[in-house]
Amino acid sequence: MEKLVGYVEHIVYRNPDNGYTVLNLANGEEEITCVGIFSEISEGETIEASGDYTEHPVYGKQFKVEAFEEKAPESEEAIERYLGSGAIKGIGLALAARIVRRFRDDTFRIIEEEPERLAEIKGISQRKAMEIAHQVNEKRDLRQAMLFLQQYGITMNLAVKVYQAYGQDIYRIMKENPYRLAEDIEGVGFRTADEIAARVGIRMDSDFRVRSGILYILQQAAGEGHTYLPEEELTGRAARLLEVGAEQIEKQYMDLAIERKIIMKQMEKPEGEETQIYLSGFYYMEANTAAMLKELNVSYDVPEIEIEQRLRGIEKQTGMELDEHQRAAVKEAVRNGLLIITGGPGTGKTTTINAIIKYFELEGLDIFLAAPTGRAAKRMSETTGFEARTVHRMLELNGGADGTTGFERNEQNPLETDVVIVDEMSMVDIHLMYALLKALAVGTRLILVGDVNQLPSVGPGSVLRDIIRSQVCNVVMLTKIFRQAATSDIIVNAHKINHGEEVALDNKSMDFFFLKRYEADLIINVVLQLVKQKLPKFVEATPYDIQVLTPMRKGLLGVERLNLILQRYMNPPEDGKAEKEHGEMLFREGDKVMQTKNNYQLEWEIRSPYGLTLDKGMGIFNGDMGIVRRINEFAEQMIIEFDDGRMVEYPYKLLDELELAYAITIHKSQGSEYPAVVIPLLNGPAMLMNRNLIYTAVTRARKCVTLVGNDTAFRQMVQNTSQQKRYSGLCDRLKEQLPRG
């Protein structure tokens, strides 16, 4: 390993997230390009770098830095160069020269120990002298803190956040209670804090550690969809994670409750008493959601004869024929401020929504339509003829410049409408439901529509299921399969799956097929043929419109393996087709991709064919799908066209949020509909391979479902009603707020 000493002449490039830097180092007469991870560094600084020379195919000879340390500028020339580099605000080249002429090589000692003497220089007041000293000391302190934190594996960007939060207290906090980082600073988790604690010698049964571990498990549980955990389960999980006894954990609950970090709720259940333990935020979200639903749940006295007369007029005008359940749904919508409509595919939910819209339209009421995803909103628009938006757009999502996000529509600025109808409610989690209710003024009618047998929301809570289970709100269940829907085996078989009935796999259907194969590679070959050649003509769509849905991420038929194979087959490399390698992923122009987390800060535009901006907004969400239109190596960004023509410029640093989407998990397909779906099936874990999952997959298809794989696995899924229990307390909170009298 070689060593270089020199001063930083110019910083060519710097990634603030990870500290990766390209800089020019002046080493005597020579200027050397250095690359590597640097903590806070400024032009004009003198450093000693250790590393080796490498040859870059484009940029030539470079010095790859493995480690470096800052050196105090030794010569007067080096001191002057550093002070005049711009690193210290308020000092330019001329002023730096005057300071060094006066104090010579004693300059830094004067700044640190006798800063008031800087005022002896013309152009420096006492106040400015103190500001200069403060900056020099702060830079030194920050750099020392960066080096201190990096030894614990904390990244550059995170280290800056930690220092900004604690300043010089950082050394005391790291020594006494590093678990504070997990509570106070976004991006630092319990495991990072635990590693630091182990290094500084904090005991395994430390109160700080146990309490932080409890909060961490509750946060992890939210990621699994739970809003609380029963005390017994939380204690068991914490004991396994922390490797301490149950009594060490239980004695911390009361302290955490006194500090209002958790809420403990005693509930009587059919199986016995249960203590629910919540992170405080989730408890208040559920309790307030229940309270707001109670406020909306008002009754209107409208005579039966008036509603019937209006309904007959609507049927005559539109040609609709409503069955008894649909008529009941319209009547309930007219007479109640809050209504839930649920039913499987083909049971007339769309017709019912259209009848309700028509009724309220004739009443002169303003109506807003919304759905949780862009695809679901688009489908709602197509089936109703009314504009439907995502719930986020309806609530006017606003991304702040400081990285915070919120909705413009809330209790201070409610939605200006009389009726809100939300479709695909099974996808709505407690966060979104709470935000929606805050934006509804008392007196606004709310109609929630969804299929309770779909998979639950990705986010925490079981909002639709809990509201129905509580039996305190008006619910209409649509059960009749309509004549035109009964001709579709997709719909008929979906209902058979839902009832655990035998599904015929004889391929005599026109829209539901099962191709039996029993080896992963044979299954993949069939999937490729279907997607590329056979199904596009059959359903009059492009190969990109055909969606492969698979139960798992890993394994022979998991998303990760399937996407690599499908990419090679559907979008092979070509001359002139740009590519971008990111970690283990390779993106190529023309690739089908999906966003994997909510990003409220990303801006999108809808452009005309001539490039004019027609609409713009913020937010790309978990599950949104698009096509890579352009990879711009110079600007370090990918241009992606999402659903509805939304164009987004993706900086390379956000590519972690994207993955290929030729195949996606069934969970990620919620709320979407495709002309055709292909479902590869082999064996898998029983908790995952259940009725809920296969029902959701089959109901994603509009024109054709093709399952490829093991028919025994399919039949086992249909019979398997076990699914991971989801702990959510909205049902309990509703019963507390709205007891049946």
Side-chain angles (χ1 to χ4, degrees):
M1 194 174 283
E2 298 189 46
K3 289 195 174 180
L4 284 179
V5 178
Y7 68 89
V8 180
E9 180 74 55
H10 176 56
I11 293 175
V12 180
Y13 169 79
R14 181 170 176 77
N15 182 330
D17 290 332
N18 58 20
Y20 178 78
T21 307
V22 180
L23 58 82
N24 294 335
L25 192 73
N27 175 243
E29 298 296 313
E30 194 180 7
E31 201 170 279
I32 298 158
T33 300
C34 295
V35 297
I37 304 296
F38 288 82
S39 55
E40 289 292 307
I41 196 164
S42 304
E43 291 175 356
E45 290 185 6
T46 300
I47 62 168
E48 180 179 274
S50 306
D52 293 297
Y53 283 100
T54 60
E55 193 69 30
H56 191 279
V58 177
Y59 303 112
K61 186 180 178 185
Q62 295 180 337
F63 190 75
K64 188 174 181 184
V65 178
E66 297 296 334
F68 83 100
E69 60 178 286
E70 181 195 356
K71 307 286 282 185
E74 292 174 355
S75 66
E76 291 175 22
E77 180 191 356
I79 296 169
E80 185 179 324
R81 190 187 302 117
Y82 173 69
L83 291 176
S85 67
I88 309 298
K89 285 178 189 169
I91 300 182
L93 291 168
L95 190 53
R98 291 207 296 277
I99 293 169
V100 175
R101 256 201 318 272
R102 179 62 175 264
F103 299 118
R104 304 288 181 185
D105 57 7
D106 206 23
T107 298
F108 273 112
R109 190 196 63 77
I110 295 288
I111 291 172
E112 288 176 16
E113 296 175 15
E114 304 175 72
E116 66 282 356
R117 288 190 57 194
L118 290 172
E120 297 170 15
I121 311 291
K122 187 180 176 185
I124 300 181
S125 63
Q126 280 288 347
R127 184 178 168 188
K128 188 169 183 176
M130 293 303 156
E131 282 177 4
I132 290 168
H134 176 70
Q135 282 188 69
V136 170
N137 292 333
E138 196 176 49
K139 280 188 169 292
R140 182 197 62 218
D141 293 344
L142 175 60
R143 192 169 292 107
Q144 286 172 350
M146 295 289 105
L147 294 170
F148 173 71
L149 290 169
Q150 279 163 38
Q151 67 185 314
Y152 298 113
I154 296 177
T155 64
M156 198 68 63
N157 211 24
L158 218 45
V160 173
K161 278 190 198 172
V162 173
Y163 184 75
Q164 285 170 345
Y166 301 130
Q168 291 298 84
D169 275 350
I170 191 170
Y171 304 100
R172 178 182 59 79
I173 288 166
M174 296 293 271
K175 185 179 176 185
E176 293 175 4
N177 178 18
Y179 295 100
R180 270 188 62 184
L181 274 66
E183 290 181 41
D184 299 343
I185 296 162
E186 191 180 342
V188 178
F190 169 79
R191 292 193 181 280
T192 303
D194 206 30
E195 283 175 22
I196 295 166
R199 288 178 187 173
V200 297
I202 287 177
R203 293 193 342 266
M204 292 275 285
D205 62 352
S206 148
D207 288 353
F208 293 134
R209 181 171 186 263
V210 174
R211 289 163 63 178
S212 184
I214 291 167
L215 297 175
Y216 168 73
I217 287 163
L218 288 171
Q219 286 159 355
Q220 292 296 104
E224 298 164 19
H226 308 298
T227 56
Y228 76 86
L229 285 178
E231 181 179 350
E232 196 176 316
E233 177 152 345
L234 176 57
T235 302
R237 286 196 191 194
R240 288 191 295 276
L241 172 75
L242 301 170
E243 297 177 12
V244 298
E247 67 285 354
Q248 297 289 110
I249 294 152
E250 288 162 358
K251 72 178 188 181
Q252 298 299 332
Y253 290 148
M254 195 49 67
D255 284 346
L256 285 168
I258 289 166
E259 291 177 21
R260 304 185 75 79
K261 288 185 174 167
I262 65 170
I263 301 288
M264 301 177 73
K265 194 81 179 162
Q266 296 289 130
M267 297 301 299
E268 284 294 334
K269 296 282 182 180
E271 56 273 18
E273 194 173 80
E274 175 184 80
T275 303
Q276 301 172 345
I277 300 185
Y278 284 87
L279 286 173
S280 298
F282 281 115
Y283 174 77
Y284 291 118
M285 219 179 281
E286 284 189 345
N288 290 330
T289 294
M292 289 185 284
L293 286 169
K294 177 187 177 183
E295 288 185 335
L296 293 175
N297 196 31
V298 295
S299 298
Y300 298 94
D301 188 14
V302 185
E304 176 82 9
I305 191 165
E306 184 184 315
I307 303 174
E308 274 293 343
Q309 195 175 353
R310 178 68 52 83
L311 273 177
R312 281 196 294 272
I314 290 169
E315 285 180 319
K316 189 174 178 182
Q317 183 190 346
T318 61
M320 289 181 193
E321 285 184 39
L322 302 176
D323 80 338
E324 58 186 303
H325 295 296
Q326 292 173 313
R327 295 182 88 80
V330 178
K331 289 175 184 178
E332 290 291 322
V334 173
R335 289 180 175 145
N336 293 284
L338 175 63
L339 174 65
I340 292 85
I341 301 171
T342 183
T347 55
K349 293 194 297 292
T350 299
T351 303
T352 307
I353 292 171
N354 283 333
I356 291 169
I357 290 169
K358 200 72 186 164
Y359 193 104
F360 286 136
E361 205 183 8
L362 291 169
E363 292 276 293
L365 302 184
D366 288 328
I367 306 158
F368 282 0
L369 306 185
T373 66
R375 279 176 177 266
K378 185 179 179 185
R379 195 168 78 248
M380 199 179 184
S381 295
E382 290 165 355
T383 55
T384 62
F386 275 73
E387 183 202 6
R389 295 169 288 176
T390 63
V391 178
H392 289 88
R393 282 199 78 187
M394 181 176 73
L395 299 180
E396 298 174 25
L397 179 73
N398 175 31
D402 59 352
T404 59
T405 55
F407 293 107
E408 292 289 330
R409 296 292 179 173
N410 50 40
E411 57 270 57
Q412 276 86 41
N413 182 28
L415 291 165
E416 294 167 16
T417 187
D418 302 303
V419 183
V420 174
I421 303 176
V422 184
D423 198 6
E424 293 288 356
M425 266 302 298
S426 61
M427 295 184 67
V428 173
D429 64 17
I430 191 66
H431 291 290
L432 193 56
M433 188 65 183
Y434 179 59
L436 170 65
L437 291 172
K438 284 203 298 179
L440 297 183
V442 175
T444 306
R445 295 170 192 263
L446 177 62
I447 299 164
L448 307 175
V449 185
D451 182 350
V452 77
N453 294 304
Q454 299 280 4
L455 290 166
S457 58
V458 174
S462 292
V463 174
L464 181 64
R465 193 178 297 256
D466 277 0
I467 294 173
I468 293 170
R469 273 178 50 227
S470 72
Q471 297 184 332
V472 298
C473 304
N474 297 287
V475 178
V476 175
M477 294 202 177
L478 304 176
T479 54
K480 179 185 171 185
I481 303 177
F482 282 84
R483 191 172 59 251
Q484 61 270 38
T487 62
S488 163
D489 284 322
I490 295 174
I491 289 170
V492 171
N493 288 339
H495 284 274
K496 284 183 177 179
I497 290 167
N498 196 32
H499 296 128
E501 296 169 8
E502 183 72 22
V503 175
L505 304 181
D506 54 13
N507 292 333
K508 291 179 180 175
S509 167
M510 287 301 293
D511 61 5
F512 189 98
F513 305 98
F514 200 110
L515 307 179
K516 296 174 187 176
R517 302 290 188 277
Y518 301 96
E519 291 176 29
D521 289 344
L522 291 176
I523 292 170
I524 291 169
N525 282 335
V526 174
V527 169
L528 290 170
Q529 287 175 34
L530 289 166
V531 173
K532 186 79 173 176
Q533 295 157 16
K534 297 187 176 175
L535 284 174
K537 292 179 201 162
F538 186 67
V539 297
E540 299 174 325
T542 71
Y544 276 66
D545 295 324
I546 315 297
Q547 189 59 55
V548 178
L549 302 179
T550 181
M552 291 170 289
R553 289 198 59 81
K554 306 282 184 186
L556 294 173
L557 293 178
V559 162
E560 292 172 9
R561 181 169 187 245
L562 281 173
N563 269 320
L564 291 175
I565 295 167
L566 285 160
Q567 181 192 42
R568 195 162 62 234
Y569 186 76
M570 301 215 12
N571 187 31
E574 288 176 19
D575 287 343
K577 193 183 276 187
E579 297 180 349
K580 169 62 183 169
E581 204 170 326
H582 183 77
E584 295 181 5
M585 195 100 60
L586 177 72
F587 295 107
R588 186 175 291 134
E589 286 177 350
D591 271 338
K592 186 176 178 180
V593 293
M594 181 173 65
Q595 175 77 5
T596 60
K597 62 183 281 192
N598 290 344
N599 186 322
Y600 302 101
Q601 301 293 318
L602 268 173
E603 295 182 19
W604 53 261
E605 282 187 354
I606 295 176
R607 300 169 188 161
S608 74
Y610 304 103
L612 298 172
T613 300
L614 302 176
D615 193 8
K616 61 182 180 180
M618 298 190 78
I620 297 293
F621 303 107
N622 189 353
D624 284 355
M625 290 168 68
I627 304 289
V628 178
R629 294 298 182 200
R630 188 165 168 237
I631 295 175
N632 187 332
E633 192 65 45
F634 179 76
E636 296 193 338
Q637 64 182 20
M638 291 197 325
I639 312 295
I640 296 174
E641 182 176 358
F642 282 94
D643 296 334
D644 304 332
R646 292 170 298 154
M647 305 292 288
V648 179
E649 295 177 351
Y650 254 85
Y652 281 175
K653 68 179 181 181
L654 291 183
L655 295 188
D656 282 338
E657 297 182 8
L658 288 170
E659 64 184 24
L660 295 173
Y662 299 102
I664 64 173
T665 61
I666 295 165
H667 279 86
K668 290 282 190 184
S669 72
Q670 282 176 271
S672 296
E673 191 179 72
Y674 311 95
V677 300
V678 180
I679 307 166
L681 271 188
L682 270 178
N683 297 319
M687 194 56 76
L688 178 68
M689 306 286 279
N690 58 36
R691 182 184 295 174
N692 232 189
L693 194 78
I694 196 66
Y695 173 78
T696 300
V698 167
T699 54
R700 298 307 89 208
R702 191 161 57 245
K703 295 182 179 178
C704 179
V705 170
T706 310
L707 296 108
V708 187
N710 188 329
D711 51 324
T712 304
F714 170 76
R715 290 192 174 94
Q716 285 171 347
M717 287 181 84
V718 172
Q719 296 308 317
N720 180 11
T721 55
S722 72
Q723 52 184 296
Q724 185 184 8
K725 172 136 179 80
R726 182 170 280 215
Y727 296 108
S728 60
L730 181 59
C731 177
D732 295 327
R733 307 291 82 80
L734 279 163
K735 286 177 178 176
E736 291 166 353
Q737 287 281 347
L738 295 155
R740 280 287 189 199

